[in-house]
């Protein structure tokens, strides 16, 4: 594996993914702008295949493998969008995939992985170690583990969302004043910030985490990857992974990105706002950037703010809760 | 006003609207395709400005006016997306607009029109004639009435959705086997079918109406525009206008388009399907084409079916009903 990461990795990923992923649209709403007090440019990655940006990184990884490695198949540990994306990408490139899920994962998430033909292995999170389960299943078959974020091919793939965004803004003649991206392990955030900084070197870039569960903000501040602090459960399941990445936190630190945080209530309200003004189904993690912009009106007032809304895989019950809350 | 309509009207409208409307994406889902038993290509006009295709026709009409006419302002009669679209288009071109609404119109619809700076005139549908109200308000000021559908500039504007769809399919190397479009007065249906038939002369084209309230199907069959038959209320408010257009029904007859119909339950189920697989917020009228494809599996089996999902302006309560129904 290479030891450095640069914008050229993202360009290579974009060439590899061309025509194979959705060039998701930039959406705007005058009514949203008035509510936010700034011009909000929404990159709707909820409209990506599998309903989230994760497909970009997974497919880039699988397309980068040698035929020999690919033929042995891949493994992913996930209870969310990453597993779904790896299963779909494996189906696309025609290799086998094993997805290791906790036995209490939502039925819909297990079904999604199975739908694409992946082999599902359930483990008991109380008594088993998932890495150990993965090694037991995949080791004898020589299968490659596809990491969820702290991998340059994954970062480059997710970064193509930022590259597209920069291209689309240029096509429309828009110069952004700020960029806001959601962040858990940091694959999307580090890749997309790298791409946006390439196009706009002085652009202020922000990453958004669940309030009280910030792990990337201290990692970037202190220069060392941190675990998620103990905290209450959050509706933002897509942003509550256990740890920030080593590579991703280093990239975000080098890019001088700044952490923001949002609460569950703010995110549910943003989901309702996206329903009303953008006609988008967003999952809580997917609405976190919008929530951050709506929350910090003074900071963004009068500016053009580009945000990535990262996914739309949400249970109807949670979506109904968001619509009732507003 | 010109007396004929052809594909060139749509091309002119597309030139006029270039960069001023959203080039809405074509979305797909492998899971949706399996559910439908065919490949479904969804043109997501719910992501258009004002949340519906109506903005295309309204803006094309206003951009076609001479400066003198435009300066006197425009009037629209509407309790739905047309009024919202005319108000937004008038704000864009900088002319004044009066929107005539029944006094029992949904508060959100009145607010939407007012938001854009339009003057709102409410009338009592039980005791007043809206045309009379409009003449009284707009006549002395020489304002032009923007008709909702039976007007070649409106038809041409809505038709740009079909022209874009044909272009996008060609870009992706996809040849559709069928085209399905929603239909009330017929502005979108006649324009979009004209554009799709230009690209694919033998393409089977279908328009979708609410079951029991079909007016365009008999109009096309008999060659004369028909009123909506008396029938139960429908959740598809966008498809329950009182009458089919003279021009629109003639165009659909010349294009040999075929009517389909869907029930409220089928449409609510399609809204839930779009939520789950496409991450789109669709209003009932906007999900009618998807409902028709899901209903008539035998007719579309194994085919590539292009559909327009026309709008996403739906009250949270109706959307929640759709999510609960599935």
């Amino acid at each position: 594996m290479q030891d450095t990461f640069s914008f050229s990795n993202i360009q290579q990923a974009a060439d590899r993914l061309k025509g194979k992923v959705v060039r998701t649209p930039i959406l705007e709403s005058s009514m949203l702008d008035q509510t936010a007090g700034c011009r909000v440019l929404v990159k709707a990655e909820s409209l990506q295949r599998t309903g989230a940006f994760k497909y970009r990184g997974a497919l880039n990884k699988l397309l980068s493998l040698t035929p020999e490695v690919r033929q042995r198949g891949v493994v992913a540990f996930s209870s969310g969008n990453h597993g779904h994306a790896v299963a779909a990408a494996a189906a696309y490139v025609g290799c086998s995939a094993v997805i290791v899920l906790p036995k209490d994962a939502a039925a819909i998430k297990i079904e999604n992985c199975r739908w694409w033909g992946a082999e599902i292995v359930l483990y008991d999170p109380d008594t088993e170690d998932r890495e150990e389960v993965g090694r037991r299943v995949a080791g004898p078959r020589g299968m490659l583990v596809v990491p969820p974020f702290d991998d340059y091919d994954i970062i480059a793939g997710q970064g193509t969302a930022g590259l597209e965004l920069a291209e689309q803004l240029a096509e429309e003649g828009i110069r952004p004043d700020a960029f806001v991206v959601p962040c858990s392990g940091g694959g999307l955030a580090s890749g997309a910030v790298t791409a946006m900084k390439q196009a706009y070197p002085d652009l202020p870039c922000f990453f958004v985490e669940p309030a009280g569960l910030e792990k990337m903000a201290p990692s970037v501040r202190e220069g060392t990857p941190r675990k998620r602090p103990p905290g209450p459960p959050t509706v933002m399941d897509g942003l509550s992974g256990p740890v920030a990445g080593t590579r991703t936190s280093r990239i975000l630190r080098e890019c001088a990105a700044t952490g923001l945080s949002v609460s569950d209530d703010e995110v549910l309200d943003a989901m309702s706002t996206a329903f009303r003004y953008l006609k988008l189904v967003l999952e809580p993690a997917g609405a976190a950037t919008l929530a951050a912009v709506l929350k910090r009106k003074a900071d963004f007032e009068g500016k053009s703010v580009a945000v990535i809304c990262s996914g739309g895989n949400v249970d109807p019950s949670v979506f109904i809760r968001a619509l009732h809350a507003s």
Side-chain angles (χ1 to χ4, degrees), chain A:
Chain A
M1 186 188 288
Q2 67 182 93
D3 282 299
T4 60
F5 182 78
S6 72
F7 177 65
S8 66
N9 297 60
I10 301 174
Q11 284 178 303
Q12 286 160 19
D15 289 342
R16 213 176 269 133
L17 296 177
K18 195 172 166 60
K20 300 184 178 75
V21 299
V22 179
R23 193 176 197 250
T24 55
I26 308 290
L27 300 174
E28 289 189 79
S29 157
S30 300
M31 292 184 183
L32 171 60
D33 291 354
Q34 191 186 59
T35 302
C38 62
R39 182 177 187 181
V40 189
L41 300 141
V42 174
K43 174 79 170 162
E45 276 296 293
S46 50
L47 304 177
Q48 190 51 263
R49 286 177 186 271
T50 72
F53 72 94
K54 288 275 187 186
Y55 187 67
R56 295 177 184 267
L59 187 57
N60 185 50
K61 184 73 184 178
L62 268 55
L63 290 172
S64 315
L65 302 178
T66 64
E68 294 69 33
V69 172
R70 199 186 295 167
Q71 205 184 352
R72 292 198 293 270
V74 295
V75 186
F77 304 100
S78 168
S79 56
N81 291 331
H82 175 58
H84 188 177
V86 170
Y92 182 86
V93 305
C95 77
S96 56
V98 172
I99 313 297
V100 181
L101 294 151
K103 68 175 190 178
D104 56 359
I108 180 71
K109 290 180 173 170
I110 299 175
E111 278 168 40
N112 281 344
C113 295
R114 189 169 278 144
W115 191 90
W116 291 101
E119 186 181 331
I120 307 301
V121 174
L122 301 177
Y123 72 99
D124 184 340
D126 292 333
T127 62
E128 292 179 285
D129 175 67
R130 73 176 190 179
E131 311 285 334
E132 172 55 33
V133 172
R135 269 194 297 276
R136 202 168 63 224
V137 173
R141 292 147 78 178
M143 298 178 112
L144 181 85
V145 173
V146 180
F149 51 85
D150 210 22
D151 173 288
Y152 290 133
D153 294 321
I154 298 289
I155 296 169
Q158 323 299 31
T160 61
L163 177 59
E164 275 180 18
L165 171 56
E167 287 171 353
Q168 289 165 311
L169 292 172
E171 285 166 13
E172 295 189 32
I174 300 166
R175 196 184 164 79
D177 301 308
F179 172 54
V180 190
V181 61
C183 188
S184 183
L188 174 65
S190 61
V193 166
T194 299
M196 288 293 280
K197 279 279 189 182
Q198 175 76 18
Y200 310 99
D202 298 327
L203 186 70
C205 292
F206 303 88
F207 58 89
V208 183
E209 300 183 275
L213 298 171
E214 297 89 344
K215 55 189 182 281
M216 187 57 86
S219 306
V220 166
R221 208 165 41 233
E222 296 160 21
T224 180
R226 292 275 298 268
K227 288 185 180 170
R228 181 192 62 214
T234 172
V235 72
M236 289 170 264
D237 55 304
L239 299 182
S240 61
V243 65
T246 302
R247 295 172 182 81
T248 56
S249 59
R250 197 193 65 235
I251 293 168
L252 285 168
R253 185 176 163 94
E254 286 167 1
C255 290
T258 306
L260 302 176
S261 61
V262 291
S263 71
D264 278 9
D265 282 351
E266 288 160 352
V267 156
L268 291 167
D269 190 57
M271 289 167 68
S272 172
T273 298
F275 166 87
R276 179 165 178 187
Y277 295 137
L278 297 168
K279 315 305 173 188
L280 290 177
V281 174
L282 296 181
E283 63 184 273
T289 53
L290 194 53
V293 173
L294 290 167
K295 175 184 189 174
R296 300 175 68 96
K297 290 191 186 184
D299 295 345
F300 296 117
E301 191 174 359
K303 296 183 175 170
S304 291
V305 185
V307 309
I308 293 182
C309 287
S310 56
N313 292 314
V314 53
D315 282 341
S317 61
V318 176
F319 201 74
I320 290 170
R321 187 175 151 206
L323 294 183
H324 277 307
S326 64

